[in-house]
Amino acid sequence: MTPDRSTSRRAAARRFSLADDPRWVRVQRATLCGGVAAALVAVALHAGVADGIGPWLGLVLASLAGAALPVRAPARAVLRWDGAQWWWQRAGEPLAITPDVVIDLEQWMLLRLNAAIDAEGVRGRKPPERWIALSRSAHEAQWAPLRLHLFLAAG
């Protein structure tokens, strides 16, 4: 006798306490500092103020300085699945969202949190989009249930 597989599996209600991965914050800072330095180098080269390798070395140093800045402990937020809807709560009232797993490397995951679409098909006003990078090392105890819920609740 074969088991009845006609019923779809549903993920049970669950709460996850999450924070951005500090390494992701460092990558963002390095990119921002490198971008600002590149703009300044471009202006300096165009104005004829600088030439040679010096400006480009400054760009690399700015990127490294951005990555080296200390990262304070990130504020924790709650991602909650109530059995029918995902909710995101950082500060203030919870917001109905739809999480999309953009990158899943099993040890690291990038989520995009979109405001949920209401019954009329209109996406919520705030926030339009939020990105959160998660690592297994930072969320060890809840990593497997989180990944399971993200993929089971999507279906």
Side-chain angles (χ1 to χ4, degrees):
M1 181 168 186
T2 60
D4 179 20
R5 298 180 195 264
S6 62
T7 59
S8 62
R9 299 183 88 182
R10 298 291 289 180
R14 185 79 190 252
R15 295 173 60 99
F16 303 98
S17 177
L18 305 176
D20 275 325
D21 185 354
R23 291 172 292 190
W24 175 250
V25 174
R26 289 182 191 281
V27 167
Q28 289 175 318
R29 286 182 183 172
T31 303
L32 178 65
C33 289
V36 170
L40 293 174
V41 165
V43 169
L45 290 174
H46 183 70
V49 177
D51 61 353
I53 197 165
W56 302 110
L57 185 60
L59 185 138
V60 171
L61 290 175
S63 296
L64 291 174
L69 290 172
V71 177
R72 64 185 158 118
R76 298 203 75 82
V78 174
L79 180 65
R80 180 172 49 94
W81 169 252
D82 65 8
Q85 176 68 53
W86 283 100
W87 297 90
W88 176 253
Q89 184 168 1
R90 186 161 214 141
E93 65 185 52
L95 176 69
I97 58 145
T98 305
D100 295 323
V101 178
V102 179
I103 300 173
D104 179 14
L105 302 176
E106 294 195 25
Q107 301 297 316
W108 186 85
M109 191 178 346
L110 181 63
L111 298 178
R112 182 178 59 215
L113 308 178
N114 298 308
I117 298 174
D118 63 12
E120 291 87 36
V122 178
R123 189 170 297 281
R125 291 184 307 212
K126 60 178 189 169
E129 187 173 90
R130 163 112 172 90
W131 294 83
I132 184 165
L134 307 170
S135 66
R136 179 182 206 127
S137 60
H139 302 91
E140 188 67 40
Q142 54 188 359
W143 189 250
L146 173 63
R147 292 184 74 232
L148 181 72
H149 275 72
L150 284 168
F151 291 108
L152 282 181

